[in-house]
Amino acid sequence: ALPSTSISSRSLAPLRPRLSAKRSSVAAKVAVIDVTDKTFQTDVIQAPSVPVLVDFWAPWCGPCQMIAPMLDEIQAEYKDKVKCVKLNTDESPQVATDYGIRSIPTVMIFKDGKKMDTIIGAVPKASLIKAMEKYM
């Protein structure tokens, strides 16, 4: 018979940080990114030909806080088929002004550098997906 080796939880402890670090780096690859007035052109207008959902929000906006986790979920579920970004209208007012944002949250869908759709207010996740899938 072969000798058995006992693995204690203590012997696995050095592996745990590496595993959790790996998991968080994978999650970061599909995370919703922040865009600004300076990066909007590159991150949204010049994005590859996938739909780009732009969440116009502000930290003080309660309904904006409700929509943010939905965009995280959409980004995680659709991965490279969609790009979700958020733009803080307090810190980057120029893009919001350029696109006539009067109310937040507003989600705009861009594809190939063109604005395709606008969703105003905190809507259900299914509404965001339905709007986005029209442009996939």
Side-chain angles (χ1 to χ4, degrees), residues 9-20:
S9 61
R10 199 174 295 153
S11 66
L12 291 176
L15 297 176
R16 283 195 189 103
R18 277 185 264 155
L19 291 174
S20 61

Side-chain angles (χ1 to χ4, degrees), residues 24-75:
S24 64
S25 70
V26 169
K29 289 180 185 173
V30 294
V32 174
I33 64 166
D34 291 305
V35 296
T36 64
D37 286 343
K38 292 178 183 172
T39 63
F40 189 83
Q41 184 71 28
T42 305
D43 290 336
V44 177
I45 303 302
Q46 297 171 359
S49 61
V50 297
V52 181
L53 277 70
V54 181
D55 175 20
F56 292 88
W57 73 288
W60 49 263
C61 167
C64 297
Q65 307 306 322
M66 293 177 358
I67 222 170
M70 289 187 268
L71 290 172
D72 291 335
E73 290 170 13
I74 289 170
Q75 184 65 71

Side-chain angles (χ1 to χ4, degrees), residues 44 50-56 82-83 106-119 127-136:
V44 177
V50 297
V52 181
L53 277 70
V54 181
D55 175 20
F56 292 88
V82 68
K83 182 177 181 179
T106 293
V107 175
M108 286 189 174
I109 301 171
F110 290 79
K111 183 155 186 195
D112 298 322
K114 298 179 185 83
K115 182 180 84 165
M116 307 303 284
D117 209 344
T118 303
I119 301 113
S127 299
L128 292 172
I129 290 172
K130 185 177 178 183
M132 174 194 71
E133 286 183 338
K134 289 190 284 189
Y135 306 104
M136 293 182 88

Side-chain angles (χ1 to χ4, degrees), residues 76-105:
E77 289 167 23
Y78 286 84
K79 296 180 179 43
D80 59 350
K81 295 178 185 164
V82 68
K83 182 177 181 179
C84 295
V85 302
K86 56 186 183 173
L87 184 135
N88 182 331
T89 57
D90 287 348
E91 294 175 359
S92 297
Q94 189 57 55
V95 171
T97 301
D98 292 348
Y99 285 95
I101 302 298
R102 302 272 180 263
S103 175
I104 53 173

